[in-house]
Amino acid sequence: MTEDRGICDLAVVSLQDSEPEAEMEDGESHAYHQGKKDSKQPEGTTKHPFNGGMDNVNVSGNSVTLTSTNNPKSEIEPSTLKTCVDHDSELDSFCSSEGKLICSLCAISGPCQGHTVTPLATQATAVRNQLVDSCEKMQLQASRIERFISQTLSAKEKAVQADASAARERVLAQVNAVREALEEEEQRLLEAVQKEQERVEQCLLTQRAHWSQALTTLAHTRTNLVHTLTHSQDAQLVTSSQEISDRLEEAEGVGEPRDTEQLNLSSACSDSRLMQGLWASAVLLGPSAHGPANLRFQERSISSMLSLSADECTLTFLPKRARQSPPYDPARFDCWPNALGTLAISSGTHSWVLDVGQSDAYKVGVCYASMDRKGSGNVARLGYNDRSWVLSHYEGDFTFCHAGRHVALHLIQRPKHVGMLVDWPSQTLVFYDPDSYCVLHAISHPFSAPLLPACAVADHSVTLLH
């Protein structure tokens, strides 16, 4: 790059016609002094390439000073001016309205009469001033860029190393905390499962011993009774009624064996809110997490107490005066404000979310497709039969309902959205808050038939979100 090119790129440029000094930003500029025309150009002074010899460019260090050698009102040298085609006069003026050179007659009586016209020298000076201002701005911008590179970026390069180290430490600390919690929870759960297994095995041993003794007693009693029956004379048989009665009473005292829950391993021994929360978060936030994009409400199932939006995603509770009697449909709920979804779940993992922020009375969950639809009994009421599992919100209380049993849920805050996660392989149903990914309630149940999303609305509306 030549010295002149470098000066144009980075030098501070200013034009001084009459001002003695101009100050520049950050104290980086030098004072610019107006030069006077001399027959000899002093060292470091060159003719301006665009001014026809009217201005000098004084180069000193990193600054360039344009020195005007003409009065703005002076005439342009004839040798440098072109001639007007219409008036055969010199083009000594500039028409700003049309952006072209004109002669004085064009401005007085020609096509540019009434336009904004300035002398050529004045217009050239204005253009030079504009160029000088642009060069000064570029110089200041270059200075800011240099400071940004030398100060800001350098400081950032040092800071990013410290920030990255701190971030790694946070990740490791969080992972270690989770790992420790998981290890402790794993140990606790394994001990709980082992303890429950030992309890059930002890019950089985006790039952086996008891009923083995009962079999021996029954066999002995039966043998004695058969012997009495086959070897006793009539008189002896009649007089042995008390003995026979005692043996029969002894046999009846053995009782009937019954299969009870005490003989089964309780699934509660492996329940863990921590594990359920982590598992649900991993499923919901994992790379393969997705909800059923085509989930809608079944129009056929919707109660006459509800209205369905055009996109089949919003249920709205209707006041009595707004309700209509739809055509009879065996799939429609006729006494409860219920509706079912279109997705039948019998494999895989599925999740969906409902906006419940506007409703103060609703139920959301799942049910079997075989759930009754007609009548006002509990068989058609979500959460009050063994074919439905729902989270209920009513009068400010949250409960989990199944088969008429209610489990109170103590939530820190009322969720605006409620999500449901069904994992068929593990037979798990999870209710969660999708805004915080907090598990509201979770159950494990041996589902025996496909599940349908279920919903009941008794206030305002709820909406399926995709």
Side-chain angles (χ1 to χ4, degrees):
M1 181 181 293
T2 64
E3 181 180 353
D4 289 343
R5 175 69 178 275
I7 291 173
C8 291
D9 288 342
L10 297 177
V12 178
V13 182
S14 65
L15 178 61
Q16 302 293 336
D17 287 331
S18 60
E19 297 292 337
E21 258 184 346
E23 294 183 358
M24 296 187 65
E25 184 177 329
D26 300 328
E28 294 179 354
S29 63
H30 298 283
Y32 299 91
H33 300 282
Q34 182 178 5
K36 295 183 179 180
K37 182 176 179 181
D38 197 336
S39 59
K40 278 189 174 183
Q41 295 181 7
E43 184 179 354
T45 303
T46 60
K47 290 289 185 179
H48 193 283
F50 305 109
N51 62 2
M54 293 184 296
D55 292 340
N56 289 334
V57 180
N58 297 325
V59 180
S60 176
N62 289 331
S63 65
V64 176
T65 303
L66 293 181
T67 305
S68 176
T69 59
N70 294 282
N71 189 307
K73 298 182 179 179
S74 63
E75 296 293 334
I76 306 297
E77 295 181 10
S79 61
T80 64
L81 297 179
K82 297 181 180 180
T83 303
C84 175
V85 176
D86 297 332
H87 302 98
D88 195 24
S89 299
E90 294 178 346
L91 299 176
D92 56 358
S93 301
F94 181 77
C95 177
S96 300
S97 301
E98 296 188 9
K100 66 179 183 179
L101 294 174
I102 62 173
C103 68
S104 57
L105 294 177
C106 289
I108 296 173
S109 59
C112 293
Q113 184 179 3
H115 291 182
T116 302
V117 176
T118 56
L120 178 60
T122 302
Q123 184 65 25
T125 300
V127 172
R128 291 189 183 94
N129 288 338
Q130 184 178 6
L131 291 176
V132 169
D133 290 341
S134 298
C135 291
E136 289 177 348
K137 291 178 180 178
M138 286 187 284
Q139 171 61 25
L140 295 176
Q141 182 182 10
S143 299
R144 290 193 294 270
I145 293 174
E146 290 175 352
R147 286 197 303 273
F148 179 79
I149 294 174
S150 62
Q151 299 176 11
T152 304
L153 293 185
S154 299
K156 293 291 184 183
E157 289 173 352
K158 296 178 181 178
V160 71
Q161 298 179 1
D163 293 342
S165 298
R168 293 187 187 96
E169 292 178 0
R170 286 196 301 272
V171 170
L172 292 176
Q174 292 174 349
V175 171
N176 288 334
V178 173
R179 183 182 292 112
E180 292 176 2
L182 285 176
E183 289 175 353
E184 292 179 1
E185 189 70 358
E186 178 187 19
Q187 185 64 28
R188 185 189 71 80
L189 291 174
L190 292 178
E191 291 176 356
V193 171
Q194 180 65 27
K195 184 177 180 180
E196 178 66 9
Q197 179 184 359
E198 293 174 354
R199 182 196 67 77
V200 174
E201 289 176 345
Q202 184 61 44
C203 286
L204 294 175
L205 288 174
T206 302
Q207 291 287 312
R208 184 179 294 279
H210 171 76
W211 292 111
S212 296
Q213 181 62 37
L215 281 176
T216 301
T217 300
L218 285 175
H220 182 265
T221 301
R222 182 178 179 278
T223 300
N224 288 336
L225 291 175
V226 170
H227 183 271
T228 300
L229 176 64
T230 57
H231 294 83
S232 298
Q233 298 296 325
D234 292 346
Q236 184 180 0
L237 186 63
V238 171
T239 57
S240 301
S241 59
Q242 183 61 43
E243 181 182 355
I244 294 173
S245 177
D246 292 341
R247 293 186 182 279
L248 290 175
E249 185 178 352
E250 181 181 3
E252 292 175 354
V254 171
E256 291 291 334
R258 292 187 303 171
D259 184 5
T260 66
E261 289 297 327
Q262 295 296 320
L263 301 180
N264 299 323
L265 189 77
S266 173
S267 60
C269 68
S270 60
D271 288 346
S272 167
R273 290 182 61 84
L274 174 62
M275 298 295 284
Q276 287 175 342
L278 290 174
W279 170 80
S281 297
V283 172
L284 295 169
L285 299 176
S288 60
H290 60 86
N294 297 323
L295 178 59
R296 300 288 190 274
F297 287 113
Q298 295 181 17
E299 194 280 331
R300 291 183 57 196
S301 69
I302 296 173
S303 166
S304 60
M305 302 178 187
L306 305 174
S307 67
L308 182 64
S309 62
D311 61 0
E312 300 182 336
C313 291
T314 298
L315 295 173
T316 303
F317 183 72
L318 297 174
K320 289 184 178 181
R321 62 179 179 275
R323 298 174 188 172
Q324 299 178 354
S325 297
Y328 175 83
D329 193 317
R332 191 183 308 280
F333 290 93
D334 62 356
C335 291
W336 296 105
N338 299 343
L340 303 181
T342 56
L343 176 67
I345 301 172
S346 59
S347 63
T349 302
H350 304 270
S351 66
W352 62 97
V353 175
L354 281 162
D355 182 348
V356 296
Q358 298 183 13
S359 180
D360 288 328
Y362 62 83
K363 294 178 183 177
V364 292
V366 295
C367 72
Y368 291 146
S370 60
M371 178 179 167
D372 290 356
R373 315 292 176 90
K374 305 301 181 182
S376 59
N378 288 339
V379 291
R381 190 178 183 185
L382 290 175
Y384 282 79
N385 52 68
D386 60 359
R387 298 180 182 181
S388 58
W389 298 259
V390 295
L391 182 146
S392 173
H393 173 53
Y394 184 68
E395 293 185 344
D397 295 328
F398 289 87
T399 55
F400 170 74
C401 307
H402 170 63
R405 294 187 295 271
H406 303 268
V407 178
L409 305 180
H410 304 287
L411 307 184
I412 298 176
Q413 62 181 3
R414 172 183 170 178
K416 295 181 179 179
H417 306 93
V418 174
M420 280 134 285
L421 170 66
V422 175
D423 184 60
W424 189 266
S426 65
Q427 300 281 276
T428 301
L429 169 64
V430 177
F431 298 92
Y432 67 96
D433 181 350
D435 297 319
S436 63
Y437 286 96
C438 174
V439 174
L440 307 177
H441 190 68
I443 64 162
S444 294
H445 185 86
F447 300 115
S448 58
L451 297 172
L452 294 175
C455 184
V457 186
D459 177 68
H460 286 82
S461 62
V462 300
T463 302
L464 272 171
L465 302 179
H466 297 107

